[in-house]
Amino acid sequence: MEYVLDLAPLIAIILGLLGLMFWWRWRTKRKEEREHSDALSTLTATLGGKVVGREEARAWTADLLPPMKSDTEGFIGWLGTVRRPRFETALDFRRDGWSVRVSEASMEQATSDSSNTFYEHRIEVATSPLPAMKMCRRLHEGFLGRPPTPAQAEAVEPAGEPPTTAVREQLDWLPVGLPEPANREFTVFSTDAAAVSRAFTPQVAEWLVAEAGPNPFQSPMPILLTFEAGFAYTTASQRIDPDHLLARVDIILGLLNRMGATPAIPPVTT
């Protein structure tokens, strides 16, 4: 008993340090969240849009592609999930006549020593009906110019996986050849290869390659862009970046305009 009492001051110090550490992490997290929220509000205000909270932040395409689906699939994904993905916030605004929603989701996953928060954001544009299509950037080299890893080289594979609407309607999922030089830079699949080929004229293909730039990791062009059910959308495994968001939105709108699509009325999200 005396031994335990002798250790009491040391135990108190350790508990105090642990408490201080947890308080500091909580305080830092609160500060980051406040700064992020302020930045999103400032951006949306300049666009004449609005920020919506968790109750209304659900993505328009959530039924087509659940948030962070690849991170929660299978037994391993289920086992490591501390909190299921949920949409936390969304930005609604109009850009050059198009209705745009940018939603942000988060989840808690277990790591080796604790649980961490992981994020994903999705850009969606409401558009006139188009054939279901996926367009994926080919990776000729990895980050910082290194040869691509096998996982990076296989990044084109998502284009070959049909979206929900194509599977539901049992439609053929066919490769689409684009005019050069776009065909060297993008893999495209669609339920209507002929219609997509007509939309991608040589002029559109040249614009696409010029806007995409040589480095897919530094380009506003999404690695994977999906068209289905009256939406064009893309996701990224990170929080919304107010400094780079509009560049990505504008390149999606530029492609839609050149494909002959027109704006549509977005759905009411509840």
Side-chain angles (χ1 to χ4, degrees):
M1 176 63 93
E2 291 181 1
Y3 178 73
V4 174
L5 292 175
D6 290 340
L7 291 177
L10 178 59
I11 294 173
I13 292 173
I14 293 174
L15 291 176
L17 290 174
L18 287 174
L20 181 61
M21 181 183 69
F22 284 114
W23 174 82
W24 183 259
R25 289 178 61 181
W26 173 83
R27 182 176 182 274
T28 302
K29 181 70 173 178
R30 287 287 301 270
K31 182 174 181 291
E32 291 173 353
E33 290 296 327
R34 186 167 56 252
E35 291 175 347
H36 184 62
S37 178
D38 290 346
L40 296 184
S41 296
T42 299
L43 171 65
T44 311
T46 64
L47 298 170
K50 65 177 182 177
V51 179
V52 298
R54 185 182 301 169
E55 296 78 11
E56 302 177 46
R58 192 172 186 268
W60 293 333
T61 56
D63 291 334
L64 303 174
L65 180 67
M68 310 175 104
K69 179 183 177 183
S70 61
D71 295 316
T72 56
E73 287 182 321
F75 177 74
I76 299 299
W78 171 81
L79 187 64
T81 300
V82 177
R83 176 177 61 75
R84 299 288 299 175
R86 69 187 181 201
F87 290 101
E88 302 283 359
T89 189
L91 318 181
D92 284 342
F93 57 91
R94 292 181 64 82
R95 183 79 168 166
D96 298 332
W98 296 87
S99 295
V100 180
R101 166 162 283 212
V102 185
S103 53
E104 183 176 280
S106 72
M107 67 178 293
E108 297 283 342
Q109 277 195 321
T111 59
S112 58
D113 58 351
S114 63
S115 66
N116 285 329
T117 305
F118 295 88
Y119 294 94
E120 175 185 273
H121 76 271
R122 185 176 308 187
I123 301 172
E124 302 165 293
V125 181
T127 178
S128 58
L130 294 170
M133 181 183 84
K134 283 188 177 182
M135 183 175 70
C136 190
R137 186 78 184 265
R138 297 182 189 269
L139 299 182
H140 302 297
E141 58 183 32
F143 188 62
L144 298 178
R146 301 187 182 96
T149 65
Q152 290 170 335
E154 292 174 2
V156 298
E157 293 303 320
E161 180 181 346
T164 298
T165 50
V167 174
R168 184 185 300 154
E169 298 171 18
Q170 299 183 333
L171 300 174
D172 291 334
W173 192 238
L174 305 170
V176 180
L178 302 183
E180 296 295 356
N183 204 49
R184 292 196 303 270
E185 299 298 329
F186 294 91
T187 300
V188 178
F189 278 74
S190 175
T191 55
D192 191 338
V196 172
S197 293
R198 289 193 298 270
F200 279 89
T201 64
Q203 293 77 18
V204 174
E206 290 178 6
W207 173 88
L208 186 62
V209 172
E211 292 296 316
N215 190 334
F217 300 104
Q218 299 176 356
S219 171
M221 175 62 68
I223 295 292
L224 177 66
L225 184 60
T226 302
F227 301 77
E228 64 171 326
F231 302 103
Y233 64 94
T234 184
T235 63
S237 300
Q238 61 193 49
R239 307 198 79 172
I240 301 170
D241 183 350
D243 294 330
H244 298 95
L245 175 63
L246 290 183
R248 180 153 292 190
V249 170
D250 286 344
I251 206 168
I252 296 172
L253 300 184
L255 178 59
L256 287 169
N257 285 324
R258 286 166 175 80
M259 290 178 64
T262 55
I265 299 174
V268 176
T269 305
T270 58

